[in-house]
Amino acid sequence: MIRVLLADDENLVRSAFAALLGLEDDLEVVAQASSGAEALAMARAHAPDVAVLDLQMPDRDGISVAGELSTLLPGCGLVIVTGHGRPGHLKRALEAGVRGFLPKTVSAAVLSDVVRTVHRGGRYVDPELAAEAISAGDSPLTPREADVLELAAGGAPVEEIAARAHLSPGTVRNHLSAASAKLGAPNRHAAVDTARRHGWI
Amino acid sequence: MIRVLLADDENLVRSAFAALLGLEDDLEVVAQASSGAEALAMARAHAPDVAVLDLQMPDRDGISVAGELSTLLPGCGLVIVTGHGRPGHLKRALEAGVRGFLPKTVSAAVLSDVVRTVHRGGRYVDPELAAEAISAGDSPLTPREADVLELAAGGAPVEEIAARAHLSPGTVRNHLSAASAKLGAPNRHAAVDTARRHGWI
DNA sequence: CACCACCCATGACGCGTGTCACCGCCCGTC
DNA sequence: GACGGGCGGTGACACGCGTCATGGGTGGTG
């Protein structure tokens, strides 16, 4: 019997996953969590064999939770499930010790299979996502450029970004200009869009 | 036995919902669809008692599907399920004949209860969402302003928006300026953000 | 009919922004 | 030690953009 921890902030989806996994004879959902912090607490309490984590959760990234879990429970298999799979996320997830990564578009049978595969020590990443990740490659942005671009995401004026990043407005514009050029975007807003699509911010 | 149609582009979620509803004795999932068009075809073929539709689907809005279904199968109960519930969506959904509207954050028991309620001819909208919708009110934007604002969403320059909307650049700027003013946003990008949060575009 | 809201357009003003050149500083590698 | 790359900063220029005033056309309402 494989003991599974489920974490997803959308209660309905999480319960539905639990129902789905509950149909399998060899799987048992022993704990559920609706946030990253709760997931860690539950993991500590129940020591599951496999943790299935949603990528987007209100308090923290599913990947950062995975990273912490991999040191906390080294034997625990880690699976990330996500609505919109971005290539950058996949890379970060694998670095965090995640061994299963799949979008919510896959068919139902895949989830339980992946849980079993990961429990056996195997790996599974969605083929389509893997192809995207390879073709997309690494982020061309320097860390600082990514920071500034992220702060520009809300459509804030340069002045505000400068204040929040403790930089001079001119430097902010330089970073944004460089980022836009690297991403082939005509302006920073399109650059934000592109960077988001690739999971680089 | 209540016969249910399920439509959601995320196969995993849809199958999981099917498993969840399948646990209930009085509910039976008779058809599933992964797009709006497919949902309509399935509805025609199976004439379900209740249709559970995801708001976001690749080809078309779940609400527009609902609108078509309400004329196609007047007796069919309509339920919309959504990840991020926007007040504007709720209003549009109710106008389209939808009688159940709930975010994916609700607990598992609610979904099957809502299906039953809607089948009996009752209504259910998530209380939190309803409160937001009431406090938010109607969209202050004129139809044209909403159009232009939507085209501005991708961070496109004014020139491009003008070309795509068959307008003069000056007119576009006027519409955007008016929209930003109405939404209390310092620029159009923040205006896009605000309008999206309220479901006005 | 007058009135008003919406739509489309033009022109002008001023600020925000994108772009470039150039500066110094730090830290890694060859 | 020289070199290159990332980082922070300045100054200048030109364009995009936000804002406003103004105008004409349309359709619905009192």
Side-chain angles (χ1 to χ4, degrees):
Chain A
M1 187 68 92
I2 304 176
R3 306 173 64 249
V4 178
L5 163 69
L6 267 183
D8 194 322
D9 58 312
E10 297 178 332
N11 290 300
L12 202 50
V13 174
R14 175 161 41 80
S15 310
F17 280 180
L20 194 64
L21 293 175
L23 295 179
E24 307 288 326
D25 293 336
D26 56 339
L27 303 181
E28 182 187 6
V29 177
V30 294
Q32 299 191 22
S34 61
S35 71
E38 199 182 334
L40 285 170
M42 285 295 188
R44 247 184 282 266
H46 293 87
D49 299 320
V50 176
V52 177
L53 309 169
D54 189 52
L55 185 56
Q56 295 121 323
M57 282 188 286
D59 54 343
R60 52 189 298 183
D61 202 308
I63 296 177
S64 78
V65 175
E68 204 159 323
L69 270 182
S70 73
T71 63
L72 195 68
L73 271 65
C76 177
L78 297 171
V79 178
I80 295 271
V81 178
T82 173
H84 318 280
R86 307 274 194 271
H89 292 152
L90 175 52
K91 187 175 161 52
R92 291 219 317 275
L94 292 177
E95 284 166 359
V98 169
R99 290 210 308 277
F101 196 99
L102 56 165
K104 285 178 180 170
T105 51
V106 302
S107 73
V110 174
L111 179 60
S112 33
D113 275 348
V114 169
V115 170
R116 291 192 195 94
T117 302
V118 166
H119 180 242
R120 277 199 309 271
R123 287 171 175 248
Y124 179 90
V125 300
D126 181 68
E128 197 171 333
L129 228 52
E132 274 182 49
I134 292 168
S135 71
D138 279 11
S139 169
L141 303 175
T142 67
R144 212 63 181 140
E145 282 164 4
D147 284 354
V148 174
L149 197 57
E150 186 150 18
L151 287 172
V158 169
E159 224 179 313
E160 191 184 321
I161 302 172
R164 291 219 276 170
H166 306 290
L167 288 177
S168 112
T171 304
V172 170
R173 287 193 288 170
N174 285 338
H175 281 309
L176 289 176
S177 183
S180 299
K182 285 179 182 175
L183 298 178
N187 57 54
R188 58 179 152 153
H189 305 288
V192 166
D193 207 60
T194 304
R196 258 206 232 285
R197 270 206 317 280
H198 288 82
W200 291 333
I201 59 171
Chain B
M1 186 69 93
I2 304 176
R3 305 173 65 249
V4 178
L5 163 70
L6 266 184
D8 193 320
D9 59 312
E10 297 179 331
N11 289 301
L12 202 52
V13 174
R14 176 161 38 82
S15 310
F17 280 179
L20 193 65
L21 293 177
L23 296 179
E24 308 289 324
D25 294 333
D26 55 339
L27 303 182
E28 182 187 8
V29 177
V30 294
Q32 299 191 23
S34 61
S35 72
E38 201 182 334
L40 286 170
M42 285 296 188
R44 246 185 283 266
H46 294 86
D49 298 320
V50 176
V52 177
L53 309 169
D54 188 53
L55 185 56
Q56 296 119 323
M57 281 189 285
D59 54 342
R60 52 189 298 184
D61 203 306
I63 295 176
S64 78
V65 175
E68 204 159 322
L69 271 183
S70 73
T71 63
L72 194 69
L73 270 67
C76 177
L78 297 170
V79 178
I80 295 273
V81 178
T82 174
H84 318 281
R86 309 275 194 267
H89 293 152
L90 175 52
K91 187 174 160 52
R92 292 219 317 275
L94 292 177
E95 284 165 359
V98 169
R99 291 211 307 277
F101 196 99
L102 55 163
K104 285 178 180 170
T105 51
V106 302
S107 74
V110 173
L111 179 60
S112 33
D113 274 348
V114 169
V115 170
R116 292 192 194 95
T117 302
V118 166
H119 179 242
R120 277 199 308 271
R123 288 172 175 247
Y124 179 88
V125 300
D126 181 68
E128 197 170 335
L129 228 50
E132 275 183 46
I134 292 168
S135 71
D138 279 11
S139 168
L141 304 176
T142 68
R144 210 64 180 140
E145 282 164 4
D147 285 352
V148 173
L149 196 58
E150 185 150 19
L151 287 172
V158 169
E159 225 178 312
E160 190 183 320
I161 301 172
R164 292 219 276 172
H166 306 290
L167 287 177
S168 114
T171 304
V172 170
R173 287 195 289 172
N174 285 338
H175 281 309
L176 289 176
S177 182
S180 299
K182 285 179 181 175
L183 298 178
N187 58 52
R188 57 178 154 152
H189 304 288
V192 166
D193 206 62
T194 304
R196 258 205 230 285
R197 270 205 317 279
H198 288 82
W200 290 334
I201 60 170

